[in-house]
Amino acid sequence: GLLAEERLGRGYGTEAMHVLRAERGFIIVGQETDGTITPTDLGMDWIVSKKKPDFLGQRPLSRSDTARTDRKPLGGLLPPDPKTVLKIGEHAVETVNDAPPMPMIGHVTSSYWSATLDRGFALALIREGRARIGSSVTIARMDGSTLQAKVVEPIFYDKDGERARA
């Protein structure tokens, strides 16, 4: 992958905005989501009213598909080498002798170099991702190599929002 110095010297403009939002785990609809992702998958249950008896979007949330345990919730990834920046679209895979085909269990949705974290980090949709926090998954790189990335919470900076409210 690209080294951090090759990818981004110093952030400015919209690139800096993208890094900042990803560090906080903020999503971009259409990038961290598709037609299958629910607020629960994103860790955003709080946006769904528990008080209203009926609301737009209630029916899809009550379908059996949204209760599956093998859904792909949003998670964070940390490559083993802090200078590594994963590429958007690289796949998290179940390794089978480290040779294709390797069944896909997810993919990188956003990936950046963070000057604040002094490392590369990524957001990803990974099957059973919440249960995988603290463990590693295999990432099939676009260059044909693989690496083990640590699965973490999708909020990398200011988790409690203290800095944002300062």
Side-chain angles (χ1 to χ4, degrees):
L2 295 176
L3 294 177
E5 298 84 11
E6 296 169 334
R7 172 105 198 288
L8 178 66
R10 291 189 177 197
Y12 63 92
T14 58
E15 181 70 9
M17 181 179 64
H18 285 291
V19 173
L20 294 170
R21 68 98 194 153
E23 287 172 342
R24 291 287 314 278
F26 294 167
I27 66 161
I28 293 178
V29 173
Q31 188 162 329
E32 272 73 47
T33 67
D34 61 21
T36 67
I37 303 302
T38 68
T40 302
D41 296 333
L42 299 171
M44 298 174 67
D45 298 32
W46 55 270
I47 66 171
V48 178
S49 175
K50 310 287 189 276
K51 298 175 184 176
K52 295 179 182 177
D54 190 27
F55 54 89
L56 275 174
Q58 182 178 29
R59 183 172 173 224
L61 291 176
S62 64
R63 299 178 101 180
S64 61
D65 182 61
T66 60
R68 287 189 354 255
T69 58
D70 66 341
R71 294 190 57 78
K72 295 178 184 174
L74 185 68
L77 293 176
L78 295 175
D81 179 354
K83 292 183 179 181
T84 298
V85 176
L86 300 174
K87 293 184 181 195
I88 294 171
E90 289 185 320
H91 291 174
V93 297
E94 294 284 1
T95 54
V96 181
N97 299 327
D98 283 333
M102 294 179 270
M104 186 177 96
I105 60 170
H107 68 281
V108 175
T109 60
S110 292
S111 183
Y112 303 99
W113 166 258
S114 167
T116 302
L117 304 173
D118 195 29
R119 67 166 303 124
F121 73 103
L123 295 173
L125 297 173
I126 299 176
R127 185 179 327 132
E128 302 169 351
R130 300 262 190 266
R132 295 177 192 265
I133 290 175
S135 66
S136 293
V137 294
T138 301
I139 303 298
R141 307 297 313 272
M142 290 187 184
D143 64 6
S145 67
T146 61
L147 63 77
Q148 295 293 308
K150 185 175 181 181
V151 180
V152 296
E153 291 284 340
I155 302 172
F156 299 88
Y157 180 73
D158 195 25
K159 185 173 182 159
D160 297 323
E162 292 175 23
R163 175 112 181 174
R165 291 188 297 274

